[in-house]
Amino acid sequence: MDKESEGFVDLTLENYSVPLVDTVYFSLCLDYSDLISRGLPDQSLVHIIGYLPLIDSGVGGHLHHFLVHAMEDEIVPGNSCSSHYGDFAYGWAPGAGPIMFPSEVGFPVGKNGYKSFRIVFHFDNPRLESGLRDNSGFRLYYTSQARQHVAGVLRLGDPNTLLKGRLLGNGWSEHQFDCPSSCTQSMFFDDNVTVFGEFFHMHRKGRRFVNRLFREGSDSAVHESFVDFFDFSQAGAYLIQQHPYIIQRADSFKTTCFFQADDKAAFGYGSGDEMCIAYLFYFPRQDVPLDSCGALLPFHRCRAQHSSVILENDRYLSRMFGSKNKMRNYSMPLPSASPSLEATSFPVTSQPSIVEKRIFESTGEPTIWPSPKLDTLTWPSGAPSPRPSLAGEESSSCAKMLVAHFAIFVYFGMLMIC
């Protein structure tokens, strides 16, 4: 990012004292004058092209995550920015790394762009340790060369944690959020938008996450993203390795989270509570209220319908790990109370409270999202390939399996003879 950018600005805490409480949210408000004093050029517009997390190692595992919201208006002196919602811009959780946008995508900041930021930090201090001070935050890289497209974020599931207090269900459970086609039909002013990054977030009781995209009038998904084995101890959230893909007007989503919990576990903001949120980074940005299509939202066109069911065991999670077939096998009957689950595939083309909890993760080296050229897409080096279309491969796989079994049979037969 140093080569692509003209400079950077560090937006961090300044020796913040972590309170002696189990869980706390703290908002750092930075207005336009703060941005200028920290090094942002005082000009009409610059475009953010990437982010680098700056995490204070002194707080250990006490920093659970932080979220960044950008606002087009300036903060009124003497007022807290906590009363401002803003647009979701960035976030960090343990395991996250640097992020760089595609070459034609940016996030506008300046006199003619976003003028202030609210960074919400979530700290955990269950042992009530004293003397903890933190200087964490992030570095934003910018360029004065305007990018062609403005980045946006669409959040699915229960992004505003409006299901706070609702029980997950004892044992294995499935929670599905259906985002209706009316959301993209009424809120998208472009016929097509391109998703270039996707992140899933649950907590410690999360076991599997699936997000499916449907065209209007179709019961078959045109795109599916999933994490078969969600492990919160490995990452606060998961970045999906996949091609960029297209959302069309009147498309709908089904976002499904699977949990394993006791009878007291519920949705909520705390680290011991649960969440189900998908973050879709896309361009060009659309006018979606609260950047959300989620449960219990006050605007009906983007209100997701929530349904849940208790599962007998983890066999009903329909995991695809190890499968070579891109179409799921639902030959095993599902519980009668379960929502209808359609066979899905990869792309067919070859609270009201202002304090919210949404995080995402990129791994290792900087995540550089490629410029989407949907007709000539190739997988990035080291990324797992999509499951292939197996028109004639199943019979080949079966033949290979029979040959292997026959070889083992012959081998043990010779041992017995000897």
Side-chain angles (χ1 to χ4, degrees):
M1 281 187 287
D2 289 318
K3 295 180 179 180
E4 297 288 335
S5 69
E6 297 177 15
F8 61 82
V9 179
D10 292 345
L11 305 181
T12 62
L13 292 167
E14 295 181 350
N15 207 30
Y16 172 73
S17 179
V18 180
L20 300 179
V21 294
D22 186 4
T23 294
V24 64
Y25 284 82
F26 173 76
S27 291
L28 173 63
C29 302
L30 299 169
D31 61 17
Y32 188 67
S33 62
D34 293 323
L35 300 180
I36 299 303
S37 67
R38 295 190 181 217
L40 187 73
D42 187 8
Q43 57 190 65
S44 58
L45 193 70
V46 297
H47 268 196
I48 297 173
I49 64 170
Y51 302 101
L52 173 71
L54 302 173
I55 307 304
D56 189 342
S57 59
V59 296
H62 294 284
L63 180 57
H64 186 275
H65 76 273
F66 66 75
L67 304 172
V68 182
H69 294 264
M71 292 157 284
E72 295 182 6
D73 55 335
E74 295 191 46
I75 301 170
V76 178
N79 290 352
S80 171
C81 69
S82 296
S83 60
H84 298 250
Y85 181 81
D87 297 325
F88 186 83
Y90 175 59
W92 174 90
I99 290 177
M100 185 174 177
F101 289 168
S103 60
E104 66 269 49
V105 181
F107 197 80
V109 178
K111 295 177 180 178
N112 295 330
Y114 293 98
K115 299 179 181 65
S116 55
F117 287 94
R118 176 170 58 89
I119 311 173
V120 181
F121 294 86
H122 175 191
F123 289 95
D124 285 333
N125 191 8
R127 298 180 181 178
L128 305 183
E129 299 178 44
S130 61
L132 296 176
R133 295 192 173 273
D134 187 71
N135 295 281
S136 297
F138 68 98
R139 174 173 295 170
L140 63 83
Y141 290 86
Y142 65 85
T143 177
S144 60
Q145 302 298 315
R147 296 291 178 92
Q148 180 182 357
H149 299 292
V150 174
V153 181
L154 177 63
R155 298 173 298 139
L156 305 171
D158 183 25
N160 302 288
T161 321
L162 299 183
L163 292 181
K164 180 182 178 182
R166 186 167 301 188
L167 297 177
L168 298 177
N170 192 22
W172 293 92
S173 64
E174 171 190 313
H175 290 260
Q176 182 166 290
F177 302 85
D178 291 4
C179 172
S181 61
S182 58
C183 188
T184 57
Q185 176 69 52
S186 59
M187 301 302 173
F188 278 23
F189 48 80
D190 286 291
D191 291 334
N192 299 306
V193 302
T194 302
V195 176
F196 61 87
E198 190 167 3
F199 304 85
F200 295 159
H201 172 54
M202 296 187 289
H203 288 178
R204 292 180 176 85
K205 301 173 185 66
R207 295 295 179 264
R208 187 171 192 260
F209 200 121
V210 184
N211 192 40
R212 292 175 288 162
L213 174 67
F214 295 82
R215 291 279 116 89
E216 185 180 21
S218 174
D219 293 329
S220 297
V222 295
H223 187 275
E224 180 182 54
S225 308
F226 60 90
V227 175
D228 261 340
F229 291 86
F230 195 101
D231 187 349
F232 184 84
S233 65
Q234 297 297 317
Y238 284 78
L239 166 67
I240 306 303
Q241 298 290 338
Q242 61 184 352
H243 294 305
Y245 64 92
I246 294 294
I247 304 174
Q248 296 181 1
R249 292 188 66 187
D251 279 357
S252 61
F253 287 92
K254 293 183 184 294
T255 304
T256 309
C257 289
F258 297 86
F259 302 97
Q260 184 183 19
D262 58 30
D263 58 357
K264 297 180 180 179
F267 288 100
Y269 296 112
S271 301
D273 299 323
E274 268 305 330
M275 293 188 171
C276 178
I277 309 172
Y279 297 86
L280 278 59
F281 282 71
Y282 69 90
F283 69 86
R285 186 178 181 278
Q286 307 296 298
D287 190 21
V288 181
L290 300 183
D291 302 317
S292 304
C293 185
L296 302 181
L297 290 176
F299 28 90
H300 293 271
R301 291 180 179 178
C302 289
R303 177 185 291 179
Q305 179 180 356
H306 169 244
S307 59
S308 64
V309 63
I310 300 298
L311 305 176
E312 183 178 343
N313 52 50
D314 63 344
R315 294 176 60 204
Y316 292 97
L317 270 63
S318 302
R319 283 172 168 146
M320 297 179 68
F321 184 81
S323 171
K324 292 185 178 180
N325 195 328
K326 68 177 182 178
M327 302 300 291
R328 249 188 236 171
N329 178 8
Y330 287 111
S331 58
M332 182 180 68
L334 291 171
S336 58
S338 175
S340 174
L341 296 177
E342 302 293 339
T344 56
S345 70
F346 282 89
V348 174
T349 53
S350 17
Q351 256 197 199
S353 170
I354 200 68
V355 178
E356 300 165 294
K357 192 172 187 178
R358 317 179 233 342
I359 58 178
F360 61 83
E361 184 262 359
S362 60
T363 56
E365 296 301 316
T367 300
I368 303 176
W369 283 305
S371 300
K373 298 179 181 178
L374 299 179
D375 55 342
T376 59
L377 280 172
T378 58
W379 279 85
S381 176
S385 298
R387 291 175 177 80
S389 177
L390 302 178
E393 190 171 318
E394 288 191 14
S395 59
S396 175
S397 298
C398 291
K400 292 178 182 178
M401 186 177 294
L402 290 173
V403 171
H405 287 177
F406 179 74
I408 295 173
F409 174 78
V410 172
Y411 173 74
F412 281 102
M414 293 179 65
L415 289 178
M416 293 179 64
I417 294 174
C418 294

